[in-house]
Structure formats: C-alpha cells, structure tokens
Amino acid sequence: MRRLRRALAEADSGPTLILVEGLAGTGKSRLLRRLTELPEAARGSTVSWRCGAAAGPPPEVAPGGPVLLLVDDVHRADAEELARLRGTLENPRPGLAAVVTYRPEELAVAGLPLGAPPPRYGDELTVLPHRLAPWTPEQVRQAAVEAVGEGCTPEAVARLHERTGGVAQVVVDLLAALRDSTRLRCTAADVDDVGVPVRLRDLVLGRTAALPARARRVVWAAAVLGEPVSGPELLAVAGLDGGPGHADDHTDTDHGGDGTAPGHAALVAALTGGALAEDAEHRYALPVPLAADAVYATLPGPVRQELHGRAADVLQRRQPVPWTALAQHRRASGRVRGWLRAVERAAREHAQAGRHQEAICLLETTLASSAVPLETRAHLAGVLASSAVVGLRSDQTVEVLAQIVEDERLPATVRGEMRLDLGLLLCNQVGMSHQGWGELERAAGELRAARPDLAARAMSALAMPYWPGSSLDVHHAWLREAEEAAEASGDDVVRAAVAANRASLALSYGNPEGWKLLEALPMDSPDPKRRHHAARGLCNAANAAAWLGHYERSRELLEQGLELSTKSGSPYTEQTGLGTRLLLEWTEGRWDGLVERCAEFVRKTSDMPVISADARMVAGLLCLAQGEWSRALAWLSGPDAPTVEHAAAPLASAVSGALIRLALARQDLPAAAEEARAAWSKLAEKGVWVWAVELVPWAVEALARAGEAAEAHAMTEEFAAGLDGLDTPAAFATLRWTRAVLAETTGRTSEAAVLYQEAEAAFAALPRPYVQALTAEGAGRCLLASVTDSDSNPAPDPDPAAASDPAAASADGGGGEGHPSEPHEEDAGEENQRDGSGSSSVSAARGAVARTPEEARSQGVAELATAAQRFAELGAAWDAARVRAALRTHQPAEGRRPPGRPSYGDQLSPREREVAELAATGLTNREIATTLHLSPRTVEQHVARAMRKLGTASRQDLAEARESADFPESAGQD
C-alpha cells in the first residue's frame, strides 16, 4: 500500500486505484477500516460505501484536496453503482486514492470486477492489483493467543489453520466460540468440538442451494470426500462420470449449452457459483475445509451412504491405497467386513512407518463400535496393543484391553498376549505399577508354554527394577527366566528386548558389566524392531548413568538413544529420554530456564505420570533451592504428582530426600525422621543403593538431630556396604558427604570439616555444582564451629564408632538445614568482601587439617564465601541467603561496618533486599527467620520496610517485583 500512501501525501502524485481481491472472509472490509486510520488519510477527505447495501446512491467525490475512496464488495454493485464508480475512475481527479474490494468467485463477469466491457482507465491513473492471501500458521497463532491466551496448544493452532484454511473471518469466528467454551487450555479436540461458524455455514449452504441439481451433487461429493481430489474422481463419486449405475437425472436441464457432458457442466457450475475451489494441483474441494462439515450435515442418510460407497470404490483404485480413508468410507457405506479389513491394513501400515499414535487412534475408534465381532475385536486389540506399548498413553486403550483379558471365551494365549500389553501400559504409561506388575506375572504364566517369545517379554519387563515393592534379587530371578524363554523362542527381536533389559538392570545398580552388555545391543540392525529395543536400552542406560554420576557418558548415550528412537518410531522411549535430559540439567547445574522447561514438559505429558515424573521432581528440587517452598511441595507431592505406592524407586527416594530437607528447614524433626525411616525402608527393600544419593545425607541428618545417632550411623554403614564393587561416582561422593553429616551432627566438627572438603572435591570432579556448594557450606560451617569448640571444649573423640553411642552423641549438634543457632536480633556485620582469590585458596587448603584456630577460621570463611557465590550463580536464592547470613556472623571485626545504622534512604539495604527476596518466594516470616538466623519480629520489620520502599501492598506484589527484576540494587554496607 506504499503507492496509495504516496498518492495521499504528495500533491504532485497522480491518482491511484488498487483492486483488492479476496475470497469471502479473508479480511477485505477489515483492510478498508485500517486504511481510514492511516496518518495520510487525515490530510484530506475519506469517502466510503458498501455496494449492494441499499443505502442509496453512492456519494459524490468532492473536488479539491486528496481523497481516499473506499469501495467494499463491488461484486454486489448494481448497474447504477457500477456506472457511478466507472465514471469516477475513468476520469479521476488529482489526489484520488481509490481502493475497491471484491470476491472473485462472485463476479458477474469472471476476472472483471468493474464489469464488461472493462473501464477505459486514463493514462494518469495508476492501477494496481492486490490479493489478500489466507493467514499463515503464525498469523493464526497470534490471533489465537490474543483471543484465548497462551493456553492454546500448538496442536490446536495447527488444527485451526488446517480447518479454516487460514481464512481470517472463519478463524476469528472459531476463536470467539472457543473463548466462550474453553478455560485455561485449548486443544485440537476443542477446535473440532466447536463446529461450523454460523457465518460460514450460511455462506456455503446458500451458494450450494443456488446451484442446479447436478452441480449440488458435485458439492455433496466433495463434502463426503473431505479432501481435494481430481475432477474425474469427484464426478465418479457424484455419479456423474457416465459409468453404469451412476446418477443421471434426465429430467434435469443443466446440460452444458455447448454440448459438454452433464458432469463437466455440473463441475463448472459449482466452481463459478463459488461452492467449490480449484487448488494449484488442479484438484477440487470446498473453499474452506470446515465448510464440508456444514454441507455433510444436510445430506439425507441414504444419499450419504451412496456417496460413501462410491468414494470407497474410487479410493480403492488409487495406488498406493489410502487405507485409513478407505476404512472410513467403507464404514459409512455399511460395508462392515471391508471396513475392518481396511482398518487392519491402515493400522499396520501406520505402525510400520512409526506413526503409532495414528494407529492407536484408528483402532480405538474402531473397537468402540459394537459392530465389531468378538473374534475380530480380540485380533484388532492385539494390533492396538503392539502400537500402544511404544506410543504414548491412552486410557481408552487400557479400558479396551482390560475388558478383553477378562473374556473367558478367548483362548488363554490370546488373553495372555493382551494381558502382557496391558501390564506394560499400566506400568510404563499410566503409572499403576502394582496392577501392572500383577498383569505381567499372570501373562508370563499364561504364555510360558505356548508362546515363549511373549512370555520372555513379560519376564524381562518384570526384571526392570524401577517399580516399588520387589527386591533386586527378584528382578534378577525374572531376568534369568526371561533369558531362558528368549532362547527357547528363537526370535531375534525377543532376544534384543531381553538383552536391552539385561543391560538396563545391570547399569541401574552400578554393575560395571552393564557397559559391556550395552555395547552388544543391535544398534545397527536393519530390523526396526530390534533397533527399537536398542534405542530403549540406550535411553535406559543414559538415565542410569545420570544417577550413577557418569554425566558426560549419560549425555552421549542420551543423544544416541534419542536419535535411534526417532529413526525407529518409538515416541514413548523418546519422551523418557527427554525426561532424563531435564535430570541431567539439574545435576550439572544448567538451571537457567529449567523450571519453565520442566513445566512445559509436564504440560505435554500431563496424562502420562511415569514420563512426567522426572520433570516434576526436578522442578520441585529447583523450587526448594530457590526458596519457593509451596511450589516445591506442589511439584513433589501435589495431587498431580505420582503417589508413593506407584512412583519409580529412584524418584521416590529423591522426593523423600527433598521432603526431609524441607522438614529440617522448618525445624520439624519428628516429621523429618518419620519420612527418613519410611523412605529408607523402601530403598532397603529394593536394594539398589545408588538411588540413595538424593536421600541418605538428609535422612542421616534427620535421624541424628532427632536423637537417633545410632540409627543414623547404621544407615550410613548400610549405604556404604551396599556400594561395594559398584561403579557409581555419585554414590561414593554422597557417602563422603553422609559421613560428614554424621560427624557434624554428633559433635565431631573437625573430622566433619575434612570429610565435607573431601566430598566437595568429589562433587567438583563429577561435576555437581549444587551439591559441591552444599558440601562447601558444610565444610565452612564445621571449620568455624571447630574454632568455637576448641575455645570452650576438648576435642571430641574422632573414633567413628563413637557415633553409634547415643549417649555420647549430641542430638543438638550442627547440621545443614536450619541448625539450632540462636537468632540474632540485629545483623552481625557486613558480608565478607572477597578479592576473587577465595576459590583458589579453598582449593589449595582442601583436605588439609587447619593447624591453628586462625587458619580454621580463614578456611571456613573462604568455604562459605565460595558456597554463597556458587549458590548465587545457580539461582539458589534460599541457599545463598542462608550462607550469607552465616558469613555475617563470622565476619572478621575489621570487615564489619562501623557502629550505628547507615542510612539507605529509599534504597533497599542488603538485609532488606535479602529478606524481600525470600518473602517474594512465599516463605513465611518464621521460615525466613530460621534461614537467616533472625527473630521473626526482625524479619517482619525488614519486610515492612522493603514493601514501603518498593511501593508494594502485599507479598504477592513483592513476588511480581522480583519476577520483573524491579528490586533496586543497594549500595554500601548494611
């Protein structure tokens, strides 16, 4: 429209005419309204009229000055309106900028918007065409976000674009209906449920009704087909191709006047009447895909059935045969046997191509029909199950299989096969592990004699150790049975499945032999089924490596597994791999945006709790470190989180560790000890000790601080014994950390400091930056405490056996979370100022026992400063605030602020900023007080001053200010 704007803005610019072409609903009227808002339009006058609106003769264009002439819907213009418009354009005045819109499908003379003969435009008039194209997917997405918010899923946006063809008015009408019918989330199913907008329905039915009878049959055929097709195919479905038995109503008079065949004339009439459109491939369909639904709904039943029958005949002649579409037409035409044969062909074709979700949807729809005979139902259910176990969750599939396995009329082997897949679905996708385990055990028994191949699959599934309840010995026993059954079957695919689980089991508990077993998997096999099991083994190994502490190897295995999963069409395996990626980002400290990535993953996998559990755990651990304890609890143990009975064992241990830590921070020792005992009991029953890495330090601290030092010592030694001979760097680093915690909580602070430093070095080597910072904090805390102890008490017995004597243990000894120091009413001093050499000095001293109290104090302050810096870099606000508070307490006298309280004016002091940040996360005053070693009253005063300075009225406002980074930086010392 640059030429138009120039015509309005420049006095010497010649007159301009722009002819705007667009199908119904593409936004022509909206364009004219926008043109009236142009700054250049304000320089002169604007004249508008809508043709055919019965509003009297079109207005005159007054002489003098620039004029913007806007004419809408010229295809509806009567003779007088056309004559007036043609006269204006054939003799244009200077400064005229005219825009004329029209629907090309409704012109009286095709291609001539101003009628025939075409106008004689003057030489001085610039005439330009402009075609309004349908909206792109991105434009549809923007409109959807504006109308219904960010809750409109990408699948819903894609469906909107597909169903509307991008026609602007149809998109807007659909979005208006969706806005009224949906709440937080809009899905593709919601788009389908809305139906046809009234405006589109009236337009297409009006155009169809205006056609001759044969042309209407062509439109009906297009609506039944529901896709663009060639002319011969369309006419064959309409019964107008001249074939035997096809419709030929000789009473109609819509033959071509030039002797053309009736079918040809009918197609031309449907096109010229705007009821059909031709695409770039010379295929024909309704102009808007959604319009087919409106036409289809008006067809009488016998007519629909007849048209579907012809459509089935036409599609059967295509090569390759579109089996899914053929199945739909056969079903609608009443051909039940042909329908079911086509369904099976389509499902197997989808499965072979890796399109498992398409196969699942087709088969579920089919099996929901009561017209499917029992024997066929069982057969198709087997096809459904084979795709469902590698696809994504569907509760409808579970319901179908649950009904079939209880039908005693079916042979035991058929029920066993269905039971196998039902058990896999319940365990892997639905998250009902106890029920799934029972189904797998029954399936193994039903299939053992007649189908060793299927029995081996059930047994190897029972060999996987992730589900709660059974011990590692039980899983090994099932693996041995699976190996025997696989060999008896002689099936290479079954052998590959068992081999993948053999490697997965070994690696899950840190058996070094697992790496050799992994290398033997058939990753380069030409058989996609064997490659699928290899991909599954790689992704399982990547997850195991993440728990073991082999992070670089885990990343490499994960990339291989995801690539192979994509190639072999294994969406379930691919999603589990993506969950492992989030776990790796947590352990390796790649936290920027991680909570949001976890939330998005949970949203996409919300109906598959087993897959989303990794993301929920990671999000909960992150929120805990950031001080958002309410959000942490919602992620870890909220209503949508996996229950304790069904959660995978490593995740259940990690979640329990987080809950124990939270209870310790809140000084709720009984709750912490109770959770510690319950979680440890489950882990000990399983016997996979490497999964204690997120649990055992907190469980030991909880028990020791609750006065159960002997129990804490026994737990530590049981953990140590369980790691003998295993390849698990993370667990051995955690063992050092746990021994440090035990030493600290039983009063042996000097020994604890050395153990913490050893653990810190071990976690740095992995690397695990967050736990490295936690252990640095512990080292600093114990070094400083050892100085205090040496000033007032003789050194405690360094013999670890002393920890087993509750009478000799101090139940109130230090500890990592909220240990019982007396709160300070006033701030103790300024945070230690470091010159950047603190980390190197700690590294040089790490592992060395401080020889003097001064050395211990210096090392302790350096360790705390290092921990505070690492926590801050990670974004662990709660941890950073806790360590900074400890630093202030132990700051050297020369580094403290001078007497008196400095004035910060309207800026936040460092302490106010620290308290405000924690208050913004949702912590209560008492929780903040425990973290910072202040009294609740002092915290209350800091919060009140921060809110006054920031101009906020509530803690919620503080949170919003924090999210938008509105906390001002303070200068100076507090």
Side-chain angles (χ1 to χ4, degrees), residues 727-797:
D727 176 17
T728 172
F732 282 111
T734 301
L735 178 59
R736 292 187 178 92
W737 178 18
T738 304
R739 292 194 186 282
V741 170
L742 183 61
E744 180 183 12
T745 51
T746 52
R748 295 173 284 125
T749 53
S750 295
E751 178 187 348
V754 175
L755 290 169
Y756 272 126
Q757 288 181 322
E758 291 176 355
E760 181 186 359
F763 284 117
L766 289 179
R768 281 202 66 181
Y770 181 59
V771 185
Q772 181 187 356
L774 286 173
T775 48
E777 177 191 1
R781 189 173 58 240
C782 289
L783 284 165
L784 293 168
S786 69
V787 175
T788 304
D789 292 343
S790 66
D791 291 342
S792 57
N793 300 308
D797 184 359

XYZ file of all heavy atoms in Angstrom, residues 727-797:
520
model
N 30.181 -49.331 40.274
C 30.738 -48.207 39.519
C 29.764 -47.041 39.617
O 28.890 -46.878 38.778
C 30.940 -48.625 38.059
C 31.435 -47.463 37.199
O 31.925 -46.470 37.772
O 31.304 -47.554 35.960
N 29.906 -46.236 40.670
C 28.957 -45.152 40.907
C 29.637 -43.978 41.593
O 29.582 -43.844 42.829
C 27.746 -45.646 41.723
O 26.943 -44.537 42.095
C 28.181 -46.441 42.953
N 30.292 -43.113 40.831
C 30.992 -41.970 41.432
C 30.078 -41.084 42.277
O 30.498 -40.568 43.313
C 31.519 -41.207 40.214
C 31.499 -42.178 39.082
C 30.435 -43.161 39.369
N 28.826 -40.881 41.850
C 27.925 -40.010 42.605
C 27.631 -40.590 43.978
O 27.593 -39.870 44.982
C 26.620 -39.809 41.833
N 27.423 -41.919 44.055
C 27.117 -42.535 45.346
C 28.316 -42.492 46.280
O 28.170 -42.270 47.492
C 26.642 -43.968 45.143
N 29.533 -42.696 45.758
C 30.710 -42.650 46.625
C 30.962 -41.225 47.119
O 31.378 -41.026 48.269
C 31.936 -43.216 45.899
C 31.944 -44.716 45.852
C 31.769 -45.401 44.657
C 32.114 -45.458 47.014
C 31.756 -46.784 44.612
C 32.107 -46.852 46.979
C 31.935 -47.522 45.784
N 30.728 -40.225 46.267
C 30.832 -38.836 46.730
C 29.783 -38.563 47.797
O 30.051 -37.881 48.804
C 30.674 -37.877 45.555
N 28.572 -39.098 47.593
C 27.499 -38.916 48.569
C 27.831 -39.606 49.880
O 27.457 -39.133 50.962
C 26.173 -39.445 48.002
O 25.866 -38.753 46.796
C 25.035 -39.248 48.989
N 28.538 -40.753 49.819
C 28.942 -41.435 51.054
C 29.864 -40.536 51.878
O 29.719 -40.455 53.109
C 29.633 -42.752 50.711
C 30.165 -43.558 51.905
C 29.040 -43.913 52.874
C 30.875 -44.827 51.409
N 30.810 -39.860 51.228
C 31.669 -38.914 51.963
C 30.823 -37.806 52.592
O 31.049 -37.418 53.747
C 32.714 -38.317 51.020
C 33.754 -39.294 50.519
C 34.829 -38.555 49.733
N 35.880 -39.440 49.260
C 35.879 -40.039 48.065
N 34.868 -39.836 47.242
N 36.871 -40.827 47.712
N 29.897 -37.297 51.816
C 29.013 -36.246 52.322
C 28.226 -36.753 53.534
O 28.102 -36.058 54.554
C 28.090 -35.823 51.182
C 27.068 -34.775 51.511
C 27.052 -33.925 52.565
C 25.905 -34.467 50.730
N 25.952 -33.083 52.504
C 25.236 -33.405 51.392
C 25.370 -34.975 49.557
C 24.051 -32.854 50.900
C 24.197 -34.418 49.055
C 23.542 -33.376 49.722
N 27.697 -37.967 53.430
C 26.885 -38.525 54.513
C 27.721 -38.723 55.777
O 27.266 -38.433 56.896
C 26.279 -39.864 54.071
O 25.525 -39.660 52.870
C 25.364 -40.432 55.134
N 28.958 -39.210 55.617
C 29.832 -39.373 56.790
C 30.134 -38.011 57.418
O 30.247 -37.887 58.647
C 31.122 -40.070 56.386
C 30.945 -41.536 55.971
C 32.292 -42.238 55.918
N 32.182 -43.591 55.383
C 31.752 -44.648 56.059
N 31.332 -44.495 57.311
N 31.712 -45.845 55.491
N 30.258 -36.983 56.564
C 30.482 -35.634 57.090
C 29.279 -35.162 57.899
O 29.428 -34.583 58.985
C 30.763 -34.673 55.943
N 28.077 -35.413 57.381
C 26.867 -35.029 58.094
C 26.795 -35.748 59.440
O 26.474 -35.149 60.481
C 25.618 -35.346 57.242
C 24.342 -35.189 58.068
C 25.568 -34.443 56.021
N 27.104 -37.045 59.446
C 27.049 -37.820 60.682
C 28.058 -37.283 61.694
O 27.757 -37.148 62.892
C 27.322 -39.290 60.376
C 27.236 -40.255 61.560
C 25.839 -40.261 62.171
C 27.617 -41.674 61.119
N 29.266 -36.962 61.205
C 30.275 -36.422 62.117
C 29.836 -35.078 62.679
O 29.985 -34.808 63.875
C 31.617 -36.296 61.388
N 29.280 -34.240 61.838
C 28.856 -32.917 62.303
C 27.737 -33.013 63.327
O 27.764 -32.339 64.366
C 28.404 -32.054 61.116
C 27.957 -30.662 61.534
C 27.439 -29.826 60.378
O 27.207 -30.392 59.287
O 27.239 -28.610 60.572
N 26.740 -33.836 63.025
C 25.575 -33.903 63.907
C 25.865 -34.668 65.192
O 25.032 -34.664 66.113
C 24.394 -34.577 63.183
O 24.823 -35.817 62.623
C 23.853 -33.676 62.092
N 27.019 -35.321 65.275
C 27.404 -35.991 66.526
C 28.569 -35.272 67.191
O 29.280 -35.863 68.008
C 27.756 -37.466 66.258
O 28.723 -37.545 65.202
C 26.529 -38.251 65.869
N 28.798 -33.997 66.807
C 29.731 -33.142 67.527
C 31.166 -33.229 67.107
O 32.017 -32.572 67.716
N 31.536 -33.986 66.071
C 32.932 -34.135 65.642
C 33.202 -33.181 64.481
O 33.378 -33.576 63.341
C 33.194 -35.590 65.256
C 33.077 -36.549 66.433
C 33.159 -38.011 66.035
N 31.928 -38.485 65.427
C 31.854 -39.060 64.237
N 32.939 -39.203 63.508
N 30.704 -39.468 63.766
N 33.213 -31.881 64.796
C 33.233 -30.873 63.733
C 34.549 -30.845 62.964
O 34.552 -30.582 61.755
C 32.947 -29.487 64.328
O 33.853 -29.231 65.415
C 31.522 -29.415 64.850
N 35.679 -31.078 63.630
C 36.953 -31.059 62.900
C 36.999 -32.197 61.885
O 37.411 -32.009 60.725
C 38.128 -31.186 63.883
O 38.191 -30.062 64.730
N 36.596 -33.383 62.307
C 36.538 -34.516 61.379
C 35.527 -34.249 60.266
O 35.778 -34.550 59.090
C 36.153 -35.775 62.143
C 36.023 -37.004 61.253
C 35.467 -38.194 62.014
O 35.396 -38.148 63.258
O 35.085 -39.171 61.339
N 34.389 -33.646 60.631
C 33.355 -33.344 59.638
C 33.877 -32.390 58.587
O 33.573 -32.525 57.392
C 32.125 -32.771 60.324
N 34.680 -31.397 59.017
C 35.196 -30.415 58.055
C 36.039 -31.091 56.983
O 35.919 -30.793 55.783
C 36.013 -29.355 58.791
N 36.898 -32.031 57.399
C 37.743 -32.742 56.428
C 36.875 -33.584 55.488
O 37.074 -33.603 54.264
C 38.771 -33.618 57.160
C 39.558 -34.459 56.156
C 39.718 -32.758 57.972
N 35.889 -34.277 56.044
C 35.014 -35.110 55.212
C 34.202 -34.257 54.233
O 34.009 -34.641 53.081
C 34.080 -35.921 56.108
C 34.743 -37.044 56.912
C 33.775 -37.590 57.962
C 35.179 -38.169 55.975
N 33.728 -33.121 54.695
C 32.997 -32.221 53.789
C 33.898 -31.759 52.647
O 33.472 -31.682 51.484
C 32.487 -31.004 54.554
C 31.116 -31.177 55.187
C 30.926 -30.942 56.544
C 30.012 -31.540 54.419
C 29.677 -31.078 57.136
C 28.760 -31.670 55.003
C 28.591 -31.450 56.356
O 27.347 -31.595 56.919
N 35.150 -31.432 52.959
C 36.057 -30.977 51.910
C 36.359 -32.104 50.924
O 36.487 -31.859 49.716
C 37.346 -30.444 52.542
C 37.139 -29.106 53.248
C 38.421 -28.568 53.856
O 39.245 -29.316 54.391
N 38.599 -27.259 53.790
N 36.497 -33.333 51.418
C 36.678 -34.458 50.500
C 35.457 -34.636 49.602
O 35.582 -34.888 48.394
C 36.934 -35.731 51.309
C 38.271 -35.761 52.018
C 38.431 -37.005 52.871
O 37.440 -37.783 52.959
O 39.518 -37.213 53.439
N 34.285 -34.516 50.193
C 33.055 -34.630 49.395
C 32.961 -33.500 48.387
O 32.568 -33.705 47.225
C 31.842 -34.623 50.318
N 33.335 -32.303 48.822
C 33.309 -31.148 47.908
C 34.193 -31.390 46.692
O 33.803 -31.128 45.541
C 33.761 -29.899 48.665
C 33.746 -28.624 47.823
C 34.341 -27.451 48.565
O 34.751 -27.602 49.745
O 34.428 -26.375 47.962
N 35.389 -31.916 46.937
C 36.298 -32.206 45.823
C 35.718 -33.300 44.925
O 35.839 -33.240 43.694
C 37.658 -32.633 46.363
N 35.079 -34.301 45.515
C 34.494 -35.390 44.719
C 33.359 -34.882 43.846
O 33.235 -35.265 42.673
C 33.995 -36.502 45.645
N 32.517 -34.025 44.394
C 31.404 -33.492 43.591
C 31.905 -32.519 42.529
O 31.314 -32.413 41.453
C 30.378 -32.824 44.495
C 29.508 -33.792 45.246
C 29.527 -33.857 46.629
C 28.679 -34.665 44.554
C 28.739 -34.760 47.319
C 27.881 -35.579 45.236
C 27.917 -35.626 46.623
N 32.994 -31.822 42.809
C 33.569 -30.932 41.794
C 34.084 -31.722 40.606
O 34.041 -31.264 39.467
C 34.702 -30.106 42.409
N 34.582 -32.941 40.877
C 35.124 -33.773 39.797
C 34.036 -34.352 38.913
O 34.301 -34.731 37.773
C 35.969 -34.898 40.385
N 32.798 -34.440 39.393
C 31.754 -35.121 38.605
C 31.374 -34.381 37.309
O 31.291 -35.050 36.255
C 30.533 -35.364 39.482
C 30.705 -36.437 40.569
C 29.442 -36.564 41.392
C 31.077 -37.776 39.957
N 30.955 -33.124 37.250
C 30.742 -32.191 38.351
C 29.268 -32.129 38.750
O 28.385 -32.388 37.943
C 31.151 -30.868 37.738
C 30.715 -30.993 36.301
C 30.852 -32.448 35.940
N 29.037 -31.756 40.047
C 27.692 -31.466 40.543
C 27.770 -30.170 41.324
O 27.969 -30.170 42.536
C 27.164 -32.588 41.426
C 26.647 -33.781 40.663
C 25.672 -34.594 41.482
N 24.451 -33.841 41.744
C 23.424 -34.319 42.459
N 23.490 -35.519 42.971
N 22.363 -33.580 42.653
N 27.642 -29.034 40.662
C 27.929 -27.746 41.307
C 27.038 -27.434 42.503
O 27.500 -26.823 43.466
C 27.724 -26.724 40.181
C 26.952 -27.433 39.131
C 27.310 -28.874 39.228
N 25.776 -27.857 42.471
C 24.903 -27.519 43.598
C 25.322 -28.273 44.854
O 25.466 -27.683 45.935
C 23.447 -27.829 43.243
C 22.479 -27.490 44.360
C 22.380 -26.192 44.846
C 21.671 -28.471 44.927
C 21.487 -25.869 45.868
C 20.784 -28.168 45.953
C 20.694 -26.864 46.417
O 19.831 -26.554 47.435
N 25.532 -29.573 44.729
C 25.947 -30.344 45.903
C 27.374 -29.964 46.300
O 27.728 -29.988 47.483
C 25.828 -31.851 45.631
C 26.130 -32.647 46.891
C 24.439 -32.187 45.122
N 28.182 -29.578 45.337
C 29.520 -29.070 45.661
C 29.396 -27.844 46.563
O 30.138 -27.701 47.546
C 30.269 -28.717 44.373
C 31.679 -28.190 44.592
C 32.308 -27.707 43.302
O 31.727 -27.828 42.217
N 33.494 -27.145 43.391
N 28.462 -26.973 46.267
C 28.254 -25.791 47.106
C 27.702 -26.169 48.479
O 28.085 -25.579 49.500
C 27.306 -24.828 46.397
N 26.809 -27.161 48.517
C 26.267 -27.602 49.814
C 27.374 -28.150 50.708
O 27.410 -27.879 51.921
C 25.192 -28.666 49.596
C 23.836 -28.199 49.071
C 22.948 -29.406 48.759
C 23.140 -27.283 50.073
N 28.267 -28.936 50.116
C 29.347 -29.510 50.930
C 30.389 -28.453 51.284
O 31.000 -28.527 52.358
C 29.995 -30.684 50.189
O 30.292 -30.319 48.829
C 29.068 -31.890 50.173
N 30.593 -27.460 50.421
C 31.472 -26.338 50.790
C 30.882 -25.582 51.969
O 31.604 -25.172 52.893
C 31.653 -25.411 49.591
N 29.578 -25.392 51.946
C 28.910 -24.749 53.079
C 29.134 -25.561 54.350
O 29.445 -25.004 55.424
C 27.412 -24.615 52.801
C 26.629 -24.012 53.956
C 25.120 -24.122 53.776
O 24.686 -24.685 52.744
O 24.387 -23.664 54.669
N 28.960 -26.886 54.243
C 29.183 -27.726 55.416
C 30.603 -27.631 55.920
O 30.855 -27.570 57.140
N 31.581 -27.616 54.998
C 32.987 -27.509 55.413
C 33.228 -26.201 56.140
O 33.878 -26.158 57.196
C 33.897 -27.633 54.185
N 32.712 -25.125 55.568
C 32.897 -23.830 56.208
C 32.230 -23.772 57.568
O 32.802 -23.255 58.543
N 31.051 -24.292 57.652
C 30.314 -24.288 58.916
C 31.080 -25.062 59.992
O 31.190 -24.629 61.153
C 28.932 -24.890 58.671
C 27.963 -24.766 59.820
C 26.580 -25.250 59.410
N 26.597 -26.640 58.942
C 26.224 -27.024 57.718
N 25.801 -26.141 56.844
N 26.267 -28.303 57.376
N 31.619 -26.233 59.619
C 32.309 -27.065 60.603
C 33.679 -26.502 60.968
O 34.119 -26.614 62.123
C 32.450 -28.488 60.071
S 30.873 -29.361 60.018
N 34.371 -25.907 60.006
C 35.643 -25.269 60.330
C 35.448 -24.161 61.347
O 36.206 -24.039 62.319
C 36.295 -24.728 59.052
C 36.961 -25.762 58.142
C 37.247 -25.177 56.762
C 38.260 -26.263 58.780
N 34.434 -23.353 61.135
C 34.175 -22.257 62.070
C 33.690 -22.782 63.418
O 34.043 -22.252 64.476
C 33.161 -21.295 61.463
C 33.674 -20.540 60.227
C 32.533 -19.841 59.512
C 34.755 -19.540 60.619
N 32.875 -23.847 63.368
C 32.397 -24.428 64.619
C 33.546 -25.066 65.397
O 33.556 -25.045 66.639
C 31.310 -25.467 64.335
N 34.526 -25.633 64.684
C 35.660 -26.266 65.378
C 36.479 -25.246 66.134
O 37.050 -25.555 67.184
C 36.534 -27.016 64.365
O 37.217 -26.101 63.510
N 36.528 -24.013 65.622
C 37.232 -22.949 66.339
C 36.515 -22.653 67.642
O 37.124 -22.539 68.716
C 37.325 -21.683 65.473
C 37.940 -20.546 66.267
C 38.137 -21.957 64.226
N 35.190 -22.557 67.576
C 34.400 -22.307 68.774
C 34.539 -23.444 69.767
O 34.692 -23.243 70.976
C 32.926 -22.121 68.396
O 32.814 -21.070 67.447
C 32.081 -21.795 69.621
N 34.495 -24.707 69.241
C 34.619 -25.870 70.120
C 35.973 -25.892 70.820
O 36.077 -26.204 72.009
C 34.435 -27.160 69.325
C 33.007 -27.306 68.822
O 32.129 -26.597 69.350
O 32.780 -28.122 67.909
N 37.029 -25.544 70.072
C 38.371 -25.608 70.661
C 38.569 -24.549 71.716
O 39.396 -24.701 72.616
C 39.430 -25.449 69.558
O 39.365 -24.139 69.005
N 37.794 -23.465 71.628
C 37.900 -22.413 72.631
C 37.232 -22.797 73.943
O 37.591 -22.287 75.009
C 37.256 -21.120 72.110
C 38.071 -20.510 70.981
O 39.261 -20.874 70.856
O 37.510 -19.686 70.231
N 36.220 -23.712 73.875
C 35.433 -23.976 75.077
C 35.432 -25.422 75.526
O 35.148 -25.707 76.691
C 33.983 -23.550 74.841
O 33.454 -24.215 73.714
N 35.714 -26.371 74.606
C 35.615 -27.790 74.948
C 36.821 -28.543 74.422
O 37.412 -28.162 73.396
C 34.351 -28.406 74.338
C 33.093 -27.725 74.843
O 32.901 -27.594 76.044
N 32.253 -27.299 73.910
N 37.164 -29.647 75.067
C 38.206 -30.505 74.484
C 37.689 -31.155 73.213
O 36.492 -31.301 73.017
C 38.462 -31.545 75.583
C 37.199 -31.566 76.389
C 36.678 -30.145 76.362
N 38.603 -31.510 72.328
C 38.209 -32.118 71.056
C 37.467 -33.410 71.295
O 37.868 -34.217 72.133
C 39.447 -32.385 70.195
N 36.349 -33.676 70.565
C 35.602 -34.922 70.740
C 36.381 -36.092 70.183
O 37.299 -35.949 69.394
C 34.324 -34.668 69.930
C 34.719 -33.651 68.919
C 35.739 -32.789 69.581
N 35.988 -37.258 70.638
C 36.618 -38.498 70.189
C 36.441 -38.646 68.692
O 35.322 -38.684 68.185
C 35.957 -39.670 70.923
C 36.632 -40.990 70.578
O 37.576 -40.982 69.766
O 36.199 -42.018 71.151
